[in-house]
Amino acid sequence: MMSYEDEMKLLKEYETYEIEKAYEKLEEIIKNLKIPKKIYRYRPLNIFTIDELINKHVFLSSPDIDDIFDTNIVSNGEIAEGELAILHITKESRNRNNKANEDYKSFTNLLENLNNKLRENIRIACFTESNVNVPMWQYYAERHTGICIEYSINLEKLVNNKNIFFLPVIYTDDYNQYFPCNLVRDEKNKLLSIICSVLKMGDWKFEKEWRLIAFKDANLEKNPYVNLEINAICFGIETPQSIKNVIKGLINEKILLYEMKKELTGLEMHELR
């Protein structure tokens, strides 16, 4: 059986006129995914997090995320197929003459404009497979003072919405394996947007990230949220007791509460009620 990464590479093979087959393949990939039983989201303590807890929804943000290459077509300098190849100039060539340098500027401008258009089409919410990830507590939960929310993902419900996709991130330093170069002329192409949204450089592999990707429509513009069931909330080792008390009063009693403890073996989760 092929891995998820290998199956996603196959989407690159579809030409523009075969785009419906590509979507069929993508739907097949999504339906066969093994989603973790528990999925998590690290959050700082602010009014936006409180709003998400009260309303049991997750905000879908524009893709202005921490990785500067996130949700972008990235060339490693070896594109040799499709329409991008017409403008592509290697780094070595552009250093030899002004014409090549101008062509390279045209190439990078094309990519930049395409990236901007692709990013305008989507909103994203980020999740992870682990609630004991020390760097993520540090970066995304304000140095262990925030919370980590555990959600249930109803894949069948999400898949039935043709504008929403839930996929794991692929960590790679060779983006060219995945980009369908013959499709880049269409900035509204969902396949290209999805592929851009699930690729990240290998440096981020520690995040074990999954992404909920939603394509903008009139409804999403007015209400950029998706409803998800909260199973549990875990407080960081530095979360103030006063904040714990406030959150306890906001949530349903069925939601389990935990707190992280710093142990010699690492972070450990302890139930509060």
Side-chain angles (χ1 to χ4, degrees), residues 178-206:
Y178 297 91
F179 284 133
C181 298
N182 290 320
L183 301 177
V184 297
R185 61 171 164 260
D186 183 6
E187 68 270 9
K188 294 183 179 180
N189 187 291
K190 286 187 177 181
L191 180 63
L192 191 56
S193 293
I194 291 168
I195 292 174
C196 287
S197 300
V198 299
L199 294 180
K200 292 187 77 169
M201 292 186 173
D203 294 345
W204 298 95
K205 193 172 184 178
F206 71 92

Side-chain angles (χ1 to χ4, degrees), residues 191-236:
L191 180 63
L192 191 56
S193 293
I194 291 168
I195 292 174
C196 287
S197 300
V198 299
L199 294 180
K200 292 187 77 169
M201 292 186 173
D203 294 345
W204 298 95
K205 193 172 184 178
F206 71 92
E207 291 187 343
K208 298 180 179 179
E209 186 178 346
W210 285 68
R211 287 191 166 176
L212 196 157
I213 304 159
F215 285 86
K216 290 183 181 178
D217 55 24
N219 181 58
L220 190 63
E221 286 293 325
K222 295 179 182 178
N223 186 34
Y225 299 92
V226 61
N227 295 323
L228 292 178
E229 181 182 348
I230 298 175
N231 294 333
I233 295 172
C234 186
F235 300 108

Side-chain angles (χ1 to χ4, degrees), residues 118-129:
L118 290 172
R119 290 158 65 87
E120 288 173 1
N121 292 333
I122 58 175
R123 284 181 173 269
I124 290 175
C126 303
F127 302 84
T128 179
E129 297 179 18

